[in-house]
Amino acid sequence: MSEPVPTDEPLVFGEGVISTISKEFSITFNPEMDEMFFTRRRQGAKNEIYTMKLVEGKWSEPELAFFATNMGWDFEPHINPKGDKLYFGSTRSLNDTIESSGMHQWVSEKNGNGWGQPKPLGAPFVNRFVMYPSASDDETLYFTSREEGVNREDSSIFFSEKEGNQYTVVKNMAEMITLPGKWIAHPYIAPDQSYLIFDSQKDSESGDCDLYIAFNENGKWTEPYNLGPKINTDQCEMCACVSPDGKYLFFHRGGKGTGDMYWVDAKVIEELRPKD
């Protein structure tokens, strides 16, 4: 898929196959790492989700995901750690209506016959702005959102714990972490909730938007740490995730309307983790 394998210097992932002249971002893998989904935006076109499968040791060519729509656009997929739920954002219409009511989060559940038809997430997610949900092992969902009346650039990271078979309470991470800058978005939560990676625009740092990480130390979150100059540049780094085997950190790097998927050894996470 992508040679050579990176160490501490990020490299373009899947050059010419995944990373092309289009803009690619937000990649996700199933636990077996034989299926992936990612977002592609061709020049002058809409966001679309593509998928690839590993069959007999060879990756298939990228193709549109089975749930692709002609009404609106789809982006930012995420497979939960268990591998039985695929979340993504879409502007397709809700409840078989003709017109879109805006961007909502959808989920497809996997069974013995493969992925099922996606359905919109219900309360408390359907009635508020929600973007880029990321699930932990216990199905706690972390996502970008904002309080009513707050400007878009002042969005924050929220989370909701599953109680029984449903989600009820939504909590703002800003009450637990001092989140830097504007346009705080795209949280990736570790399966065990031991760390949280997100991107934020901060004038005093290296680029347009940088990646940050905060660690959960005995139930309390540390201050966010910038992932450093090898990862954060004068371009925009965003939409991070870690491969299910924990070996590699994936993220987007690019400018307005352009950019590729990058990957790097995930040891950078442990190098930033606070020592006793």
Side-chain angles (χ1 to χ4, degrees):
M1 170 61 68
S2 191
E3 295 289 347
V5 175
T7 54
D8 58 346
E9 292 284 350
L11 299 175
V12 174
F13 181 65
E15 190 168 7
V17 179
I18 294 175
S19 296
T20 66
I21 60 173
S22 301
K23 180 177 182 177
E24 286 86 16
F25 58 101
S26 184
I27 196 168
T28 187
F29 300 85
N30 67 340
E32 296 78 19
M33 295 180 65
D34 58 9
E35 185 176 24
M36 71 172 81
F37 295 82
F38 63 93
T39 309
R40 172 172 288 161
R41 184 192 301 164
R42 294 170 293 162
Q43 288 187 346
K46 62 182 182 179
N47 291 320
E48 297 173 307
I49 295 177
Y50 282 75
T51 185
M52 299 173 66
K53 292 184 179 180
L54 184 64
V55 181
E56 296 182 353
K58 184 178 180 180
W59 283 98
S60 63
E61 292 296 319
E63 61 181 24
L64 285 174
F66 71 93
F67 51 77
T69 178
N70 292 323
M71 300 177 62
W73 44 259
D74 304 324
F75 77 146
E76 297 179 349
H78 170 73
I79 298 175
N80 68 338
K82 188 176 178 181
D84 61 355
K85 291 184 176 66
L86 169 63
Y87 300 92
F88 65 95
S90 180
T91 60
R92 66 185 65 196
S93 59
L94 290 170
N95 303 322
D96 298 323
T97 56
I98 297 176
E99 296 183 357
S100 170
S101 60
M103 196 268 289
H104 296 280
Q105 294 302 312
W106 294 67
V107 60
S108 170
E109 297 194 28
K110 197 171 191 178
N111 53 43
N113 297 320
W115 293 108
Q117 287 300 313
K119 299 178 181 179
L121 282 182
F125 308 108
V126 72
N127 295 321
R128 65 182 301 148
F129 169 75
V130 174
M131 185 176 71
Y132 208 81
S134 175
S136 65
D137 281 332
D138 68 359
E139 297 192 76
T140 299
L141 283 180
Y142 290 72
F143 50 92
T144 304
S145 188
R146 55 179 176 265
E147 303 290 2
E148 186 175 352
V150 172
N151 295 328
R152 290 177 59 196
E153 64 269 24
D154 293 320
S155 295
S156 183
I157 298 170
F158 290 70
F159 71 98
S160 183
E161 298 172 314
K162 197 170 187 179
E163 300 177 8
N165 293 320
Q166 61 184 0
Y167 296 92
T168 56
V169 179
V170 173
K171 299 179 182 179
N172 193 339
M173 290 290 292
E175 300 173 3
M176 306 172 186
I177 306 177
T178 301
L179 298 169
K182 302 282 187 179
W183 301 104
I184 296 165
H186 309 122
Y188 169 79
I189 188 65
D192 62 358
Q193 300 184 73
S194 61
Y195 62 84
L196 177 75
I197 304 175
F198 61 95
D199 47 82
S200 173
Q201 189 179 82
K202 189 178 181 184
D203 293 337
S204 62
E205 297 294 350
S206 57
D208 182 32
C209 48
D210 285 350
L211 291 172
Y212 293 83
I213 186 169
F215 295 92
N216 189 335
E217 298 285 308
N218 299 316
K220 293 185 178 181
W221 289 94
T222 67
E223 63 176 309
Y225 300 91
N226 189 292
L227 285 183
K230 289 185 178 180
I231 292 178
N232 291 319
T233 66
D234 58 356
Q235 299 185 72
C236 179
E237 283 78 24
M238 67 176 191
C239 295
C241 78
V242 176
S243 56
D245 60 10
K247 292 182 178 180
Y248 299 102
L249 170 67
F250 291 83
F251 60 93
H252 164 86
R253 175 185 288 167
K256 186 175 182 180
T258 63
D260 295 317
M261 290 300 311
Y262 281 74
W263 63 323
V264 69
D265 195 307
K267 65 182 181 182
V268 63
I269 294 173
E270 292 308 314
E271 290 172 351
L272 288 171
R273 189 184 297 273
K275 305 299 187 291
D276 291 341

